[in-house]
């Protein structure tokens, strides 16, 4: 009977202790969920220094961060391929940029600059293409002597750049 009690005790104590340490890692889990991966890594580094015996639980979080970073890298590579092979596919570029932005909330300065410049260029060419289509539709309406419709369609094109580009000048 004493043997059974000791066996259960030695098995249960580490399980509950691991759960307690895991609870302390909830801050890292929250940072990962928020996409603050660099901050989560800094937290995990400090936690490992203070709790070296809980490395297995820390490693699970690090593995998760690396999986997310790999997915981020895959989206970035797809964006670069799209820029190279489909330079006029601005809608796809903007969707990939939105996915990149949702994955990592605190990217490096280099990543931020790349995303910002790519987004600016993609938005500009996307809006330019939309503008040209709207102007062509307005011209067609004008040629059909549908002048009021033509004016309305032309005016639709002049608000495209307003929010993103006119404010900068």
């Amino acid at each position: 009977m004493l043997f059974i009690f000791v066996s259960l005790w030695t098995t249960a104590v580490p399980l509950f202790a691991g759960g307690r340490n895991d609870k302390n890692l909830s801050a890292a889990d929250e940072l990962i969920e928020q996409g603050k991966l660099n901050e989560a890594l800094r937290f995990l580094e400090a936690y490992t220094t203070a709790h070296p015996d809980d490395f297995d639980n820390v490693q699970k979080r690090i593995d998760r961060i690396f999986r997310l970073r790999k997915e981020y890298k895959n989206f970035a590579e797809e964006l670069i391929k799209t820029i190279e092979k489909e330079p006029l596919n601005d809608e796809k570029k903007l969707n990939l940029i939105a996915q990149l932005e949702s994955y990592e909330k605190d990217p490096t300065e280099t990543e931020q600059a790349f995303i910002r410049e790519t987004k600016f260029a993609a938005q500009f060419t996307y809006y330019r293409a939309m503008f040209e289509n709207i102007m062509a539709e307005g011209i067609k309406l004008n040629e059909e002597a549908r002048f009021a419709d033509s004016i309305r369609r032309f005016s639709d094109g002049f608000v495209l750049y307003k929010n993103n580009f006119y404010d900068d000048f």
Side-chain angles (χ1 to χ4, degrees):
M1 181 74 138
L2 182 62
F3 176 74
I4 295 172
F5 177 74
V6 171
S7 296
L8 288 173
W9 179 258
T10 58
T11 306
V13 169
L15 287 175
F16 290 119
R20 199 174 331 109
N21 286 341
D22 211 18
K23 191 175 184 181
N24 291 336
L25 289 169
S26 63
D29 293 334
E30 190 173 316
L31 291 169
I32 293 168
E33 288 299 316
Q34 294 171 358
K36 297 178 179 179
L37 304 182
N38 291 330
E39 196 174 330
L41 284 172
R42 286 189 294 274
F43 175 87
L44 291 169
E45 179 183 17
Y47 183 88
T48 302
T49 302
H51 306 281
D53 57 318
D54 197 24
F55 183 74
D56 289 340
N57 285 320
V58 171
Q59 187 63 47
K60 290 176 190 174
R61 273 74 177 185
I62 292 171
D63 290 344
R64 184 169 173 217
I65 290 169
F66 284 153
R67 277 193 306 277
L68 290 170
R69 287 257 166 97
K70 185 176 180 180
E71 291 174 19
Y72 181 89
K73 181 180 171 258
N74 290 341
F75 281 122
E77 287 174 355
E78 188 176 348
L79 176 59
I80 291 168
K81 284 180 190 173
T82 302
I83 291 168
E84 292 172 348
K85 298 181 190 236
E86 303 174 58
L88 300 178
N89 194 346
D90 296 312
E91 190 169 357
K92 183 176 180 181
K93 288 186 269 185
L94 291 172
N95 286 332
L96 289 168
I97 290 167
Q99 289 174 323
L100 285 173
E101 291 174 328
S102 72
Y103 263 83
E104 177 110 32
K105 300 298 183 204
D106 61 346
T108 66
E109 186 57 42
T110 303
E111 291 168 332
Q112 287 176 3
F114 169 73
I115 291 170
R116 185 175 46 250
E117 291 170 18
T118 304
K119 185 175 184 177
F120 181 83
Q123 285 177 331
F124 184 82
T125 56
Y126 178 74
Y127 289 138
R128 186 191 69 216
M130 286 180 62
F131 180 81
E132 288 173 359
N133 285 339
I134 290 171
M135 293 302 114
E137 290 170 10
I139 290 170
K140 185 177 180 195
L141 290 169
N142 196 43
E143 290 169 349
E144 295 170 358
R146 296 174 51 195
F147 303 115
D149 292 335
S150 174
I151 290 170
R152 275 192 291 277
R153 192 62 186 142
F154 282 136
S155 67
D156 291 341
F158 289 108
V159 297
L160 289 175
Y161 293 100
K162 185 177 182 194
N163 292 336
N164 294 328
F165 299 104
Y166 288 160
D167 295 340
D168 293 340
F169 299 105

